[in-house]
Every structure is written in C-alpha cells, then in structure tokens.
C-alpha cells in the first residue's frame, strides 16, 4: 500500500486533519523510529477545513506510539495481588457477562458502572449507551468529559436550550475582538491559536484579551493580559457588564426581542462597580475598563474558553455569565462572534451527540425528560419505562460507590482515572476496593491497569473505522489503515458482543461500524444536532462536514455543496434558540469564589494545566522520544517574591501539601505566574515520575449543576523537600487515604 489515508488527529478537540502514508514508499528509505521500528508518515491534510494542513508536534509524531507498549491479548487475574494470565476472548467475555448477570440479580442494575472517554469514536459511544442505558437499564455511563467539558454543556443548555458550540473556526479570522479566558490556547489548542494569531497580526484594529493568572504563551500575544486571581471570573464578567451598561454599549433590541431574564441580571451587575471588581480580581481599574472598552467598541466579539472555566465549582455559572455578555451586546449568531468552548478531547463533541454522559441520551436528549426517554425507548424497541428517569452516577460518584460497596462492576475504557481523577489517593484506595474491574485500553502498562481484574486489548486510532466531531461540529471519517496488534478489537465490537451474549442478539447484530453510525444518525433526526443526512459513504465522498446536516439535504457537488455547507457553519443565525419560546436566557449569578480558598495553613493557590507536547496522562506521548525530550520532567512555577520568602532557588526540589496529599517538583522561578499562585502540569503519573501526581493535591468539590470537579484550584503549602520528612508524611497520608 502506497496511497495516503486522510483521517483526524486523535489528540485534542481542535480536530486537525491528517494525511498518513505507509512507512515504505517507492524510491525512498523506510521511515523508522529511533529503535528501528517502521512508522507511518504523518503530515497535515491541506484540504481539511478545520486545520488547513497545519499540525502540532503531537499530531506529527502520533504514529511513533502505535507499536509501543501495546496491550495485545485479554488478561485476567482473580485478585489484585495475583499476576495477570493470558486468556482467550471467550474466557474474558464469559467472565464479564457472568459478573454482569450476577450483579444485576444481587444488587440491581444500578451497581453496574462504565467510565468512558473522549478518545472513543462516535460508534463506540453509541453502542455503550445502547447497552448500558437501554438494555441493562442503568444510566451509569459517564466519561472523562465530565472532568473536561460538562460545565460548557450545562452552560449552553441552560442559556440556549441545547448543547452545541454556536461558532466555527472561520470566526477566528473574522472577529474584531478575541476574548480568551481559562485557556492557554497557544499550547493546548495550537492550531486554533495559529489561525487567530495570524488574523490578529494582519489586522491592527483586531484586539486580543487574555485572562489568566499565568503569563502564558497565549497571554504574550495579547493586547491586554488580565492576571486575575483564581476564582474571580464571575467578578470580572459582571464588572465588564457593569461598565457596558454604564456606557450604553448594549443591544437593547436584541435583549428585548431575543432574550429573557435580563432584569434579574441587571439587578446583579449593579453590585459590581469597577473599584470593587478590580480589588477582588487583583487587577487595575484601567485594565478592567480597557477590557470593557474592547468588548463594547467591537462589532464582532468572539470568546474562547476551556478548562480554566469549566473545571470549577462555579463552572456552569462562569460559562453562563460569559454568555451573558454576548447576549447583552447581541454578539451571537453572526460571523466572527459568539461564545466558543474549546473542546478538550478529539471526540468529546461526538460523545455529547451520542449521549455519553450520565445525564444525557443520544441526540442531545436529557435523561430527566419523559418525552426524550420515550423517544429513545421506542427507537431501541424497548418497553416503556426501561430507561431510568434519574441521571446515573458521575465519574466521582462511581468512585464513591466503590467506597460504599454499592458498585459491584466497574468497566473503565480508554481513560486513566488512577492519574486523572481528583483527590487521587482516595481514588486509588477506592479502586483497590472494587470487587470486579474491567479495564479496556490500547496500552499496557498504565497506572489504572494495576487496579483491574480483567484487561481487554482495544484497537485504537488507525486500527478501526469511525467518525469524530471536533469543537466546531465538524464530523470527520477516520478510516482504518493498519491492522490492530495481536487480538485487539474496536471498543464498539467488544460491547456489541457482550450485548449479544447477554441475550440481546438482534439489537447488537451490527456487521461493521458503518451500520452502527447509520443507526446512530437516525436517532438525531429533528434534534439540534441532526446528523441524519450523514453516513460513512457521504463523509468518504465529500470529506468532513458540519452538523446540523439533516437527511432532507441532497447530495450536491461544487458550488452547490459549498453553499449548503455554509448554511450550517453557525448556530442561531436567525436569533431563535432551542428554548420553548425561542429566547435565550440570561443568568444572574454572584461570585462565590474558590471552593477551597487559601488560608494561614495553606496560603497558596495551586492551579494545574497541560503542556504543548504532552497529552493527558502520557499514555501515548510519554512513549515518544521527541516529546519526552521536549518535556523531560514535571516542575512547579513560583513567583520570585514567593521563592525568596521560602528560600527556594531555581531547580530546588519543592514539596507541596494540600489537605489530601503531597507531591514534589523542581522549582521554576518565573514572573509569568502571579504571586500567591503556583502552577504544575497534570501529565505525570506514577509510571513517569516519583511523587509528581498533580491530583494527589486536588479536591473533588464540583459545580452543583455540571458536577464537574474543581481541578483548577486548591489550597496548598510549599516548602523545600527533605527526604526524612517525606517518608514520614507519605506514610501518614497513606493511612488517611485508607481510612476514608
């Protein structure tokens, strides 16, 4: 095979198009990695509408990880103290089915849980929902999107009546003012940032505002950097709104005709005068006024945010209060404008479409809506009342269920909660108590594999065919272009086989992923995320397409196709929203601040984040030499003033303690972090460094609406690490964790 394959990068939610070629090409030496293994050649797909041929270091090197440390065969053990033994698929699946049946009989379906991933293709997500929420009768499916995008989902749903980012990447090149908050876009979504940066450089009138306690690469490019105190986002938004009201920079016609609840919002923002907001946020009044001026004087304002907003005990309130500014000024539904969440994972959007959280159902339906449940039951040919009316367990509630013994079966797939969950020592202790854990992944070892009773080898990107949806609702077909190693299987095939073995043969009799997708898109018909006109064949013929894409749309070519594609680039272009009366909703929130603010005992605020080269818990990127060289070890950023007070010098080994645990990092002294605030990367688990787990420190307190934990901020104390104290307190924290 010498032909290239067009696909999608399997890392972040930007959704960059890739073109992949086999290691051997006519007249050229075989492409090999540093160990001599042939590797597929990767380059950007110039025809992909989202990325236009650009690719970051993660996408460019992704093929180097495909053959390293792969899980190739099913493995089992009777207890966590035993060694794994290789078994057949029949033996592994029989054990899983028997356990499911036993738990259903003895504890009920609510004792079954699955924790999934934004790494899934949409077909994987859909089959998991059909199996668990439909035929097993439990809504206990949650995904790592709960830790990533659930606040954005809740914010969109409450403000607009439905999930779904209303903007597109073309808006990056049409906006007058880009307002970025809670996102280090230059490192975490670099191709998005590159498009915005080029537009900003070419147009002197275009303004960029970046809100972040750190002076990141993103902030370096801004016209205005607001280094606000962590947890003061709502203060800032309400303060900007106060000034816009004072200056008359609001769209009264849009407010009157297209929104509700403005009066309650106006009553709140009058309590946020500039003097108070500047003091609360830790910025100057003129900086606040400049931000409001940029917003008020621009015709097209585009806001961008990510984990810094979502991962908060006020996550939904923050998202909705940012959306308020767009509603206040009418900056939505038009080119270059709108609130635009930058999705964390490659197919978190597809997961939302397929119902991949414990409170939602396929087709942007919600569990607590009787009509929505009835529609899905009818589609799946289930008796009325099969789908439970209450949401299932969130990811953290699954951990709590392991603690109490209420969870009797835990299936983890394509994610690594033994590193990524908050209050990590408590999480790990709960995982040890699980009576039966199935772990399904492409790689071995991972930190979570240590807590599993059964390991199932999964085919990953490149080894199965399916679709993914990126941040701008662009759906891309990702074809299989190599065989999976050993006996690895696609996730959807594994779950479909379990469904058949449980006796649901007809419902799970799919021959291939194209049939799965064909069924899924039918259930979206007439919904806000209508994809009923899409299919593997259409995506293969036309390339990536955005939803909504209803079945009524004909097959077109040339200029007709381009015109059709332009009609669905943005949502709410008619200013009619997915609420019962078609009006968007203002939200009236006062700022509450951090769930765990600093105090005398724990005087610093710790924030966490991603680095340019690494991805999540390094399951892929930790095995790529170029990226390991780029980011060789974890570190802590500390301001020079704080370092001086604590006698900390550059590269000093520093110990951090929170109320839950401790970790050690080499100090990086920099003015890029605000005094009183510390930063550590979140990528290093026990496989990659000693005692450098960011989430050993974080807490699980979550937004009451989105149920997303506040992974972005916790209170810590800092001191120079000493080995004797480290050993003693490590034992102490271990005992505390066990007793919880």
């Amino acid at each position: 095979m010498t032909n290239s394959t067009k696909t999608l990068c399997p890392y972040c939610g930007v959704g960059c198009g890739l073109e992949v070629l086999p290691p051997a090409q006519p007249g050229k030496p075989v492409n090999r990695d540093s160990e001599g293994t042939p590797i597929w050649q990767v380059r950007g797909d110039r025809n992909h509408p989202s990325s236009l041929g650009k690719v970051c270091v993660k996408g460019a090197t992704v093929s180097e990880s495909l053959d390293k440390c792969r899980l190739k065969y099913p493995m089992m053990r009777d207890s966590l103290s035993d060694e794994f033994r290789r078994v057949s698929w029949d033996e592994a699946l029989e054990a899983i089915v028997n356990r499911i049946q036993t738990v259903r009989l003895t504890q009920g379906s609510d004792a079954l849980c699955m924790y999934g991933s934004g790494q899934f293709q949409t077909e994987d997500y859909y089959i998991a929902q059909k199996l668990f929420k439909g035929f097993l009768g439990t809504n206990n499916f949650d995904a790592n999107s709960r830790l990533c995008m659930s606040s954005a989902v809740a914010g969109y749903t409450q403000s607009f009546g439905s999930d779904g980012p209303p903007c597109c990447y073309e808006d990056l090149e049409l906006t007058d003012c880009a307002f970025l908050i809670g996102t280090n876009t230059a490192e975490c979504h670099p191709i998005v940032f590159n498009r915005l940066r080029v537009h900003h450089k070419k147009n002197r009138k275009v303004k960029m505002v970046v809100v972040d306690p750190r002076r990141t690469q993103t902030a370096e490019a801004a016209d205005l950097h607001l280094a606000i105190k962590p947890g003061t986002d709502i203060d800032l938004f309400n303060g900007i709104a106060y000034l816009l009201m004072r200056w008359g920079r609001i769209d009264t016609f849009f407010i009157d005709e297209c929104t509700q609840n403005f009066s309650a919002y106006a009553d709140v923002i009058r309590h946020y005068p500039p003097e108070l907001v500047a003091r609360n946020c830790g910025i100057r009044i003129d900086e606040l006024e400049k931000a409001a001026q940029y917003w008020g004087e621009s015709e097209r304002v585009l806001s961008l945010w990510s984990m810094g907003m979502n991962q908060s005990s006020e996550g939904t309130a923050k998202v909705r209060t940012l959306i308020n500014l767009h509603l206040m000024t009418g900056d939505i539904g038009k080119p270059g404008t709108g609130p635009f969440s930058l999705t964390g994972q490659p197919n978190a959007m597809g997961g939302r479409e397929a119902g991949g959280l414990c409170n939602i159902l396929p087709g942007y339906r919600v569990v607590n809506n009787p009509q929505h449940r009835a529609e899905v039951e009818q589609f799946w040919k289930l008796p009325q009342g099969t789908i439970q009316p209450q949401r299932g367990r969130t990811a953290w509630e699954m951990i709590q269920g392991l603690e109490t013994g209420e969870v009797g079966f835990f299936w983890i797939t394509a994610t690594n909660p033994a590193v990524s969950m908050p209050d990590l020592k408590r999480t790990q202790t709960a995982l040890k108590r699980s009576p039966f854990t199935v772990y399904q992944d492409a790689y071995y070892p991972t930190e979570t594999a240590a807590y599993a009773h059964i390991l199932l080898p999964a085919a990953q990107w490149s080894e199965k065919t399916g679709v993914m949806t990126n941040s701008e609702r662009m759906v891309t077909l990702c074809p299989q272009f190599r065989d999976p190693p050993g006996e690895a299987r696609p996730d959807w095939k594994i779950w479909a086989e379990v469904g058949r073995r449980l006796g649901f043969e007809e419902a799970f009799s799919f021959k291939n992923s194209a049939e799965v997708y064909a069924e899924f898109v039918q259930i979206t018909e007439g919904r806000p995320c209508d994809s009923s006109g899409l299919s593997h064949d259409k995506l293969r013929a036309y390339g990536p397409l955005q939803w909504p894409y209803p079945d009524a749309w004909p097959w077109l070519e040339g200029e007709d196709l381009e015109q059709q594609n332009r009609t669905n680039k943005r949502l709410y272009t008619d200013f009619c929203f997915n609420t019962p009366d078609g009006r968007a909703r203002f939200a009236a929130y006062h700022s509450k601040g951090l769930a765990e603010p600093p105090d005398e005992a724990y005087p610093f605020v710790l924030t966490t984040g991603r680095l340019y080269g690494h991805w999540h818990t390094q399951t892929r990127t930790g095995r790529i030499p170029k990226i390991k060289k780029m980011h060789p070890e974890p570190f802590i950023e500390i301001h020079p003033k704080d370092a001086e007070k604590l006698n900390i010098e550059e590269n000093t080994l520093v110990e951090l303690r929170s109320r839950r645990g401790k970790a050690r990092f080499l100090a990086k002294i920099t003015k890029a972090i605000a005094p009183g605030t510390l930063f550590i990367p979140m990528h290093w688990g026990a496989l990659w460094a000693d005692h450098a787990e960011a989430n050993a420190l974080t807490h699980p307190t979550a937004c009451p609406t989105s149920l997303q934990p506040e992974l972005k901020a916790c209170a810590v104390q800092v001191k120079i690490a000493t080995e004797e104290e480290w050993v003693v307190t490590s034992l102490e924290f271990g005992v505390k964790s066990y007793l919880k």
Side-chain angles (χ1 to χ4, degrees):
M1 175 183 174
T2 59
N3 294 331
S4 65
T5 300
K6 291 191 175 184
T7 183
L8 195 74
C9 179
Y11 284 112
C12 78
V14 172
C16 297
L18 300 181
E19 193 172 5
V20 186
L21 296 92
Q25 294 292 308
K28 296 181 180 180
V30 175
N31 193 34
R32 300 179 185 274
D33 65 13
S34 57
E35 299 174 357
T37 305
I39 58 172
W40 293 72
Q41 302 173 52
V42 180
R43 63 193 182 198
D45 176 7
R46 295 182 179 181
N47 295 318
H48 196 285
S50 294
S51 52
L52 307 175
K54 304 297 183 182
V55 62
C56 78
V57 67
K58 291 190 293 294
T61 59
V62 63
S63 64
E64 295 181 31
S65 68
L66 295 180
D67 291 306
K68 294 182 178 178
C69 302
R70 293 298 301 274
L71 180 61
K72 297 180 180 180
Y73 307 100
M75 310 281 279
M76 286 181 62
R77 59 183 175 181
D78 297 324
S79 73
L80 299 188
S81 61
D82 296 335
E83 295 294 322
F84 281 109
R85 65 184 187 276
R86 180 177 167 181
V87 298
S88 67
W89 270 103
D90 274 343
E91 188 176 351
L93 293 174
E94 183 180 2
I96 290 169
V97 168
N98 288 342
R99 181 67 187 186
I100 290 173
Q101 291 171 328
T102 299
V103 170
R104 291 180 78 193
L105 286 171
T106 58
Q107 293 180 268
S109 291
D110 192 49
L112 305 171
C113 290
M114 180 179 284
Y115 183 43
S117 169
Q119 294 285 316
F120 290 162
Q121 292 174 335
T122 301
E123 294 83 351
D124 302 322
Y125 264 118
Y126 177 69
I127 293 298
Q129 306 319 300
K130 188 174 185 180
L131 177 62
F132 263 66
K133 294 177 181 174
F135 286 80
L136 291 178
T138 175
N139 292 323
N140 290 341
F141 177 100
D142 213 37
N144 52 21
S145 295
R146 177 68 59 192
L147 310 183
C148 176
M149 298 306 298
S150 54
S151 292
V153 173
Y156 284 140
T157 301
Q158 292 188 355
S159 292
F160 302 143
S162 173
D163 186 13
C167 309
C168 64
Y169 292 160
E170 185 181 78
D171 294 324
L172 298 164
E173 292 136 353
L174 297 174
T175 189
D176 296 332
C177 177
F179 188 94
L180 292 79
I181 180 166
T183 169
N184 182 11
T185 321
E187 291 195 70
C188 300
H189 298 90
I191 305 308
V192 160
F193 186 75
N194 288 348
R195 290 184 67 165
L196 177 61
R197 183 71 172 127
V198 169
H199 173 62
H200 182 234
K201 282 184 174 181
K202 284 183 178 179
N203 299 275
R204 295 179 61 187
K205 292 183 179 180
V206 172
K207 302 302 180 185
M208 186 190 302
V209 180
V210 173
V211 185
D212 198 311
R214 299 172 65 213
R215 189 165 185 83
T216 61
Q217 291 183 31
T218 309
E220 290 285 353
D223 298 286
L224 176 64
H225 172 215
L226 299 177
I228 64 171
K229 296 177 183 177
T232 61
D233 312 64
I234 292 175
D235 297 88
L236 177 66
F237 299 149
N238 286 345
I240 291 174
Y242 180 102
L243 291 171
L244 293 175
M245 280 276 284
R246 175 194 283 179
W247 299 337
R249 296 281 188 177
I250 65 175
D251 189 334
T252 55
F253 181 81
F254 181 86
I255 292 170
D256 291 343
E257 296 297 320
C258 303
T259 71
Q260 276 196 3
N261 205 37
F262 179 72
S263 59
Y265 173 56
D267 188 57
V268 165
I269 62 177
R270 68 184 178 85
H271 297 286
Y272 290 83
E275 299 80 9
L276 174 66
V277 170
R279 183 168 64 251
N280 289 350
C281 293
I283 59 176
R284 301 192 311 269
I285 291 177
D286 66 300
E287 292 177 319
L288 173 64
E289 291 175 337
K290 180 65 72 174
Q293 178 189 341
Y294 284 160
W295 193 299
E297 292 181 355
S298 299
E299 293 183 8
R300 299 181 296 276
V301 181
L302 180 71
S303 66
L304 303 164
W305 81 90
S306 193
M307 301 310 114
M309 287 262 286
N310 294 334
Q311 290 177 336
S312 168
S313 58
E314 297 182 285
T316 304
K318 288 180 180 181
V319 171
R320 294 203 67 193
T321 308
L322 177 60
I323 290 174
N324 284 347
L325 293 177
H326 286 277
L327 298 179
M328 189 179 193
T329 54
D331 281 306
I332 189 169
K334 298 176 289 188
T337 69
F340 198 176
S341 56
L342 297 176
T343 312
Q345 295 221 56
N347 198 35
M349 278 296 299
R352 287 144 71 174
E353 297 155 20
L357 290 170
C358 68
N359 55 309
I360 59 177
L361 294 169
Y364 277 8
R365 294 174 174 88
V366 293
V367 161
N368 62 8
N369 185 310
Q371 181 180 342
H372 289 180
R373 294 196 304 274
E375 289 169 354
V376 176
E377 287 166 348
Q378 183 177 8
F379 185 82
W380 285 340
K381 299 178 181 178
L382 293 169
Q384 185 176 357
T386 300
I387 298 176
Q388 297 302 301
Q390 66 279 349
R391 67 167 178 83
R393 292 179 181 268
T394 66
W396 181 250
E397 289 167 342
M398 293 177 187
I399 297 300
Q400 291 176 308
L402 293 175
E403 292 177 325
T404 61
E406 294 172 288
V407 172
F409 175 90
F410 195 26
W411 198 333
I412 305 169
T413 311
T415 188
N416 197 10
V419 180
S420 59
M421 291 292 285
D423 200 351
L424 196 58
K425 298 308 176 186
R426 181 179 174 185
T427 295
Q428 292 168 346
T429 301
L431 289 171
K432 287 179 184 177
R433 293 177 176 173
S434 173
F436 197 95
T437 296
V438 180
Y439 185 49
Q440 185 169 309
D441 207 319
Y443 290 92
Y444 180 82
T446 69
E447 289 84 354
T448 300
Y451 301 92
H453 299 89
I454 294 181
L455 299 177
L456 298 181
Q460 63 159 321
W461 173 87
S462 78
E463 299 158 3
K464 59 182 181 179
T465 295
V467 306
M468 289 190 172
T469 309
N470 71 3
S471 291
E472 65 165 344
R473 297 171 285 104
M474 187 72 70
V475 182
T476 302
L477 180 67
C478 307
Q480 177 181 346
F481 57 84
R482 52 171 263 152
D483 293 330
E487 297 176 2
R489 297 181 180 181
D491 297 295
W492 74 264
K493 277 193 173 182
I494 297 170
W495 296 321
E497 175 66 17
V498 168
R500 290 192 294 270
R501 287 175 180 242
L502 285 167
F504 314 125
E505 291 89 350
E506 185 178 349
F508 294 95
S509 60
F510 301 98
K511 295 184 179 65
N512 52 52
S513 61
E515 289 187 0
V516 177
Y517 191 66
E519 178 174 304
F520 161 68
V521 296
Q522 291 177 50
I523 205 170
T524 69
E525 186 171 6
R527 301 296 302 157
C529 60
D530 193 333
S531 305
S532 57
L534 297 179
S535 65
H536 281 201
D537 286 344
K538 182 168 283 189
L539 292 167
R540 192 175 286 110
Y542 284 173
L545 296 168
Q546 277 173 299
W547 63 254
Y549 203 107
D551 189 35
W553 285 8
W555 286 63
L556 299 173
E557 294 181 358
E559 293 182 4
D560 290 334
L561 174 61
E562 177 63 23
Q563 180 59 37
Q564 176 174 283
N565 289 345
R566 296 193 69 80
T567 65
N568 61 338
K569 278 187 172 293
R570 298 171 186 86
L571 305 181
Y572 313 125
T573 54
D574 58 357
F575 307 132
C576 184
F577 300 90
N578 291 315
T579 55
D581 60 5
R583 292 171 175 261
R585 304 290 196 261
F586 278 97
Y589 286 104
H590 284 290
S591 177
K592 294 181 179 178
L594 298 176
E596 187 179 72
D599 55 25
E600 288 187 11
Y602 298 89
F604 291 90
V605 176
L606 175 69
T607 186
T608 67
R610 279 168 46 192
L611 303 177
Y612 169 67
H614 273 311
W615 175 251
H616 288 199
T617 62
Q618 300 192 59
T619 305
R620 277 198 190 102
T621 58
R623 296 176 165 99
I624 298 173
K626 182 176 182 179
I627 292 177
K628 290 179 69 175
K629 186 176 181 180
M630 183 183 299
H631 303 298
E633 57 193 359
F635 58 86
I636 178 172
E637 289 184 353
I638 183 169
H639 192 275
K641 290 182 180 178
D642 295 326
E644 185 178 4
K645 290 177 185 176
L646 298 167
N647 295 318
I648 293 171
E649 298 179 353
E650 186 79 4
N651 289 325
T652 298
L653 186 62
V654 170
E655 176 184 316
L656 295 184
R657 295 191 196 182
S658 74
R659 290 177 173 86
R660 293 151 297 280
K662 58 187 291 184
R664 295 187 296 187
F665 304 90
L666 293 177
K668 180 179 179 181
I669 300 173
T670 173
K671 292 182 179 179
I673 191 80
T677 303
L678 309 169
F679 169 82
I680 57 175
M682 47 75 74
H683 305 292
W684 275 266
L687 284 178
W688 307 104
D690 292 331
H691 310 297
E693 297 158 315
N695 285 319
L697 303 161
T698 58
H699 62 77
T701 305
C703 167
T705 303
S706 70
L707 306 175
Q708 181 164 356
E710 190 165 83
L711 290 169
K712 277 295 178 185
C714 66
V716 297
Q717 53 184 234
V718 188
K719 68 174 186 176
I720 296 173
T722 61
E723 194 62 34
E724 288 184 7
E725 288 188 3
W726 179 266
V727 172
V728 171
T729 55
S730 291
L731 291 172
E732 174 191 339
F733 278 115
V735 171
K736 286 181 179 178
S737 176
Y738 179 77
L739 291 175
K740 280 185 176 179

